[in-house]
Amino acid sequence: MVVFDPRLRKLDLDIANAESYAAYKEACLLHDDISGANDWKADDSSNDYDHLLIQKRVQRLQIARGKNDALALMSILHEGLHGNLGNIANPRLRMECKIGTKLLIEQFIQEVSLAIEHIYHADENHIDFYEKLSFFEETAHAFGRSCLMLSGGAGLGFFHCGVVKSLNEHKLLPTVISGASAGSIIAALIGTRTHEELLQSLSPEHIYNAFRDWRRWQGLGKNSLFDSAVLENALIELFDVMTFEEAYKKTRRHITVTVSPADLHQHSRLLNAKTSPNAIITQAVRASCAVPVIFSPVQLRAKNASGDIVPYIPNRRFADGSLMADLPYERLARLYGVNHSIVSQTNPLAVPFISTNRIDAFSVWDMSARHIGNLAKSNSIFAIDLIERLTTNKSAKLAIHKVRSIIEQQYVGNINILPKRQLRNLTHILANPTLESLTTLIESGERATWSQLDVIERNTKISENLRYYLGQLKQRGAVELGHTA
């Protein structure tokens, strides 16, 4: 592989300074051609995945499809189709090139997609409608799906707009999305806007008009340092009194907003169309953004059967979702069958310590560093538990408990999209945004997403195809049974 070539240096600059994804991709492809990475892609063999297994699976799929044997295709896919078969999702397979991966892996994903399409269109004299429906339901459930999790990060959270904008434009936005604190605002935008509406809602001008004064100093001696009414009015303007169920019916996206209890002996809650269909999104987002001391905690609200606005979980108030559930991956997995995560991470407590890819420890040093980090985390939690046990003051116990939750959480996913580590990011956290700062944040979010788009497409293509055809079959079944309006 070529290392020293003046053309590569120029292309590195072109990649770093690209003004669009098309220009970025073109420079990456040319870089891989000149550097010799394309030769690496064309060579099936690698110690980082089981290329023999993937070769065999591709051959079997091609033979079955060539024979028009849909039953054989179903059998092959049933045998063990999953997102990391033979370790094909290993992040190390991306380290040898600027874009793409082994051609064999891309061929395998394409063959699986063609097999899925073939099964859907198979002659129903041989595979009837209900056999197809059963196959797609079982396979989609077993294969799982991806989710997008948007972390907290106060004003820096508008970085998420660029991430979502890029995913939306390339039609790679997952249908399962969670948001905590600032991330809950963007998650709610995703859940209440169609594809076209979202293009406009994520523009710097639209965000600026909604949030230019969202932090108005209220002063000491109040229930919060900032005036919560200003933030709440901005959220009402965006989401009105729409419930999670109403949002799902409009966009078919599963959005979740996380909130933390403002008192002891309560757990964080995930508010969505499954767990709290009648809860009002505006109040859920307002609660999730209620950073302690900065904004006051909130009582949630919901619509009753008559459409009236009523308290939800009376006598309880909720606050910043990122304190206890910044990235609620395990609970999303239980609710929606998620087994792969894309994280847009802007939490200032986490960003300095994580990288864009989760790569298993390889060297002795990496293994030692990871082990020391895990020990430090577990020892810190043990020390905090001791302090909490010895503390009698209720307010102090609550504060200690929140600190424990912050340390205990996992702040990374399978794919991590992060803002650049720079001191000026700190200026975004508690300041009111300007049009210029929002434009910079959103553009940086888009740019940070470009290097992950091809990975996200590979990792989601099979699950999206399975769920698309499953949806088509369910829609057809509803029409035939007369269940549509």
Side-chain angles (χ1 to χ4, degrees), residues 127 197 232 298 347 393:
I127 302 176
E197 290 171 340
E232 190 160 338
V298 178
N347 193 317
N393 181 274

Side-chain angles (χ1 to χ4, degrees), residues 228-284:
S228 301
V230 178
L231 171 60
E232 190 160 338
N233 288 338
L235 297 175
I236 291 171
E237 185 73 22
L238 287 174
F239 310 121
D240 197 25
V241 290
M242 184 178 288
T243 66
F244 283 94
E245 184 175 52
E246 290 167 346
Y248 175 72
K249 287 179 178 178
K250 177 181 178 180
T251 65
R252 313 308 288 181
R253 295 192 182 108
H254 303 279
I255 61 162
T256 290
V257 171
T258 68
V259 295
S260 302
D263 52 10
L264 282 169
H265 313 302
Q266 295 290 316
H267 298 286
S268 62
R269 290 181 178 267
L270 269 59
L271 304 174
N272 53 51
K274 282 180 179 274
T275 62
S276 47
N278 298 320
I280 292 173
I281 291 173
T282 292
Q283 292 303 111

